[in-house]
Amino acid sequence: MDVLLRNIGFVSVLTALLVLIKRKYDRIYLEQEGCYEDSTVYAAAEKFAGGASAGEVRAILATCFEFDTKETEEILAMALPHRAEQDGGYYAFIQAVNTVLGDGIYRS
């Protein structure tokens, strides 16, 4: 029984490591392409502007290859004060994403 649990743990750790490596290679490949827009960011911005909770937006951004949890928190921290604006904070959210990425990739 101990061997079975050890093997399951080993396979789980190996799978997680392979997923992280693949995400890193995907990001490097897309950065070399020069254009790496992800439609998920626009979907998160629309949800944010529509009044979705920070947790929902955080969950959407977690599926993006571009952001880790620290960057996601930075985006939300920059965009949340602008939620009361007329557009619901959509423009501020996109600007926050561009600020975190250090490039004007996304257009509002």
Side-chain angles (χ1 to χ4, degrees), residues 65-77:
F65 62 89
E66 297 157 318
F67 309 112
D68 58 13
T69 44
K70 181 182 174 215
E71 292 170 333
T72 301
E73 293 303 322
E74 287 178 33
I75 291 168
L76 289 173

Side-chain angles (χ1 to χ4, degrees), residues 1 14 22 29 31 33 37 39 46 49 52 58-59 62 76-77 84 89 96 99 103-104 108:
M1 185 68 173
L14 185 62
K22 183 184 180 319
Y29 171 75
E31 285 175 351
E33 287 279 315
E37 266 188 52
S39 61
E46 288 177 16
R58 191 178 294 116
L76 289 173
T99 302
D103 197 5
S108 56

